[in-house]
Amino acid sequence: MAKEGVEKAEETEQMIEKEAGKEPAEGGGGDGSHRLGDAQEMRAVVLAGFGGLNKLRLSRKAMPEPQDGELKIRVKACGLNFIDLMVRQGNIDNPPKTPLVPGFECSGIVEALGDSVKGYEIGDRVMAFVNYNAWAEVVCTPVEFVYKIPDDMSFSEAAAFPMNFVTAYVMLFEVANLREGMSVLVHSAGGGVGQAVAQLCSTVPNVTVFGTASTFKHEAIKDSVTHLFDRNADYVQEVKRISAEGVDIVLDCLCGDNTGKGLSLLKPLGTYILYGSSNMVTGETKSFFSFAKSWWQVEKVNPIKLYEENKVIAGFSLLNLLFKQGRAGLIRGVVEKLIGLYNQKKIKPVVDSLWALEEVKEAMQRIHDRGNIGKLILDVEKTPTPLVTTGEAEAGESLEPGRQKLQ
């Protein structure tokens, strides 16, 4: 059972008073929740079944209450990741049953504490990992997956922080042992993880970063990457032209034939890390042809060859490490180091755009089209935005429905 604290953040207290004082109008109260009898409800994005964008809808669900060891968080912002597209398509191992609420990370304000929770108070500003259910107005998650955020970190930045920076940090420093003078190749350099990798590499002296990205992103990210190549170019030859020996670390979120290419680029004692398989996502729905093609193109690794060439091949799944392999303690230590770097102004999440919950389909399409530079955020309190805002219309710039660019 949840236990209410004595002190509340002013914002949280106002929400509670609103709910107690009056029945909200159609569409919810000021905090998006309302009461039906004794039950409170909230808005949430629901995936009705695996497939295309039409499987997503904004619905009302019963508001969860924290169990023993859990925190209840009033969500302000949620992160949108490529893995969410794969979940929507059912393009993952052992997908959960639908209907479900997608999303694995969020930020917000602590609203209630479950029994035995220590170290947090109602009103704390936090970011959290959630094993699904993040795309909602309220979430409950175990305390080991929750982290306090700095006072000057916005909720949108906090929602863009956990998945991207923890993934980048663990791969670079825990798996590949990045050190001064080394070189790194990262695919999708303009995405959330790609930009986190570039920033973290800049904290180590004399690290060379090779990146692949769509040509239209090059101008925006050119200062964060040492050498930038078009995602469709022969990057193997381009890298070898600059560095004949290749690179020390390859970070691959694409899979398919890029696995063999990445291994071929490794220097002796180099490390190749696979942390995604976005090449399997081509159309709006799961494609067995794309899956089979990507699987067939993966170079079959011969351990004897790795031994002879002194190369290391690894895989990394942050969600499995957290939710299946019980490494929350390791990840907490990583988050503390990352917050230290943030406080030192050495890293900062790159937020591409903010979207209302009602605009989740458009936001997901933008990721599918690889149109984002940095992270897309679902802003729980944001109202849907017209196709073109006044300022952008004057500048002659049109945006997708709902997209709010950040300066």
Side-chain angles (χ1 to χ4, degrees):
M1 179 178 293
K3 57 181 180 183
E4 300 296 334
V6 177
E7 295 183 1
K8 295 179 173 62
E10 181 179 351
E11 185 172 6
T12 307
E13 194 168 42
Q14 288 174 350
M15 290 189 291
I16 293 173
E17 288 174 354
K18 281 185 179 180
E19 291 173 352
K22 63 177 182 179
E23 190 75 23
E26 180 71 18
D31 66 343
S33 62
H34 65 105
R35 292 179 182 275
L36 289 179
D38 291 330
Q40 277 190 294
E41 291 192 340
M42 64 177 183
R43 294 185 307 151
V45 175
V46 174
L47 179 65
F50 299 119
L53 294 169
N54 63 338
K55 299 295 185 180
L56 292 165
R57 65 174 186 268
L58 188 62
S59 302
R60 290 200 173 275
K61 290 177 62 69
M63 186 180 296
E65 293 299 330
Q67 303 302 305
D68 185 22
E70 290 186 342
L71 290 165
K72 178 181 179 181
I73 300 170
R74 175 66 60 172
V75 176
K76 296 293 185 180
C78 319
L80 206 161
N81 300 284
F82 205 90
I83 185 66
D84 297 312
L85 273 71
M86 301 186 74
V87 168
R88 191 200 76 214
Q89 294 184 352
N91 212 347
I92 58 173
D93 286 336
N94 300 314
K97 293 181 179 179
T98 57
L100 62 86
V101 175
F104 298 102
E105 63 184 338
C106 65
S107 64
I109 298 173
V110 175
E111 192 169 85
L113 308 175
D115 292 338
S116 78
V117 170
K118 297 180 181 179
Y120 292 88
E121 296 180 355
I122 291 177
D124 281 346
R125 301 171 73 250
V126 297
M127 58 187 173
F129 289 109
V130 188
N131 194 8
Y132 293 98
N133 296 308
W135 294 357
E137 291 178 316
V138 173
V139 301
C140 292
T141 193
V143 65
E144 57 261 37
F145 303 137
V146 182
Y147 319 93
K148 295 179 183 178
I149 61 177
D151 291 339
D152 59 345
M153 180 182 281
S154 69
F155 286 117
S156 59
E157 285 183 331
F161 199 84
M163 287 282 285
N164 291 349
F165 275 95
V166 171
T167 295
Y169 187 97
V170 173
M171 290 193 299
L172 288 172
F173 297 106
E174 300 289 341
V175 180
N177 193 22
L178 178 66
R179 301 183 304 280
E180 180 176 354
M182 295 179 73
S183 54
V184 179
L185 168 65
V186 59
H187 291 294
S188 300
V193 173
Q195 284 295 286
V197 165
Q199 290 186 32
L200 288 171
C201 285
S202 71
T203 68
V204 180
N206 197 30
V207 171
T208 302
V209 180
F210 298 88
T212 68
S214 301
T215 303
F216 75 89
K217 299 183 181 182
H218 286 199
E219 183 63 28
I221 67 174
K222 64 181 181 180
D223 293 335
S224 64
V225 179
T226 316
H227 303 286
L228 197 53
F229 313 119
D230 181 74
R231 66 189 299 265
N232 297 313
D234 184 358
Y235 62 84
V236 173
Q237 293 305 313
E238 292 292 331
V239 171
K240 288 189 173 180
R241 181 177 58 82
I242 298 168
S243 175
E245 269 198 297
V247 297
D248 296 292
I249 301 170
V250 174
L251 304 178
D252 181 11
C253 60
L254 305 178
C255 199
D257 61 352
N258 291 283
T259 300
K261 293 177 181 179
L263 286 170
S264 73
L265 279 172
L266 284 184
K267 295 179 181 179
L269 301 182
T271 303
Y272 164 92
I273 305 174
L274 180 69
Y275 70 100
S277 53
S278 62
N279 276 350
M280 294 183 183
V281 177
T282 51
E284 185 179 333
T285 57
K286 182 177 180 178
S287 167
F288 288 100
F289 173 77
S290 296
F291 177 85
K293 179 182 178 183
S294 185
W295 180 87
W296 181 259
Q297 289 177 333
V298 174
E299 181 170 307
K300 305 307 178 283
V301 178
N302 183 343
I304 300 298
K305 187 177 181 181
L306 293 177
Y307 152 72
E308 292 173 344
E309 297 182 352
N310 286 300
K311 294 181 178 180
V312 178
I313 184 168
F316 181 69
S317 166
L318 175 57
L319 296 178
N320 284 348
L321 195 68
L322 276 172
F323 300 127
K324 294 182 179 180
Q325 297 168 331
R327 295 299 189 271
L330 168 67
I331 299 306
R332 181 166 296 279
V334 169
V335 172
E336 289 172 356
K337 293 174 183 176
L338 288 167
I339 290 176
L341 291 172
Y342 177 87
N343 289 333
Q344 296 169 38
K345 312 298 182 185
K346 292 184 177 180
I347 62 172
K348 184 179 178 65
V350 177
V351 176
D352 175 81
S353 47
L354 306 179
W355 304 77
L357 291 179
E358 293 88 346
E359 299 160 347
V360 64
K361 296 179 183 179
E362 291 85 357
M364 196 165 268
Q365 184 64 50
R366 180 168 174 79
I367 287 189
H368 182 277
D369 296 338
R370 278 76 167 178
N372 57 297
I373 298 174
K375 188 77 159 230
L376 276 77
I377 297 296
L378 295 178
D379 184 336
V380 175
E381 296 180 340
K382 182 180 180 293
T383 56
T385 306
L387 178 62
V388 181
T389 64
T390 304
E392 287 154 353
E394 292 173 355
E397 180 184 6
S398 175
L399 295 178
E400 297 92 344
R403 184 185 174 201
Q404 177 181 326
K405 286 182 71 175
L406 299 185
Q407 302 300 322

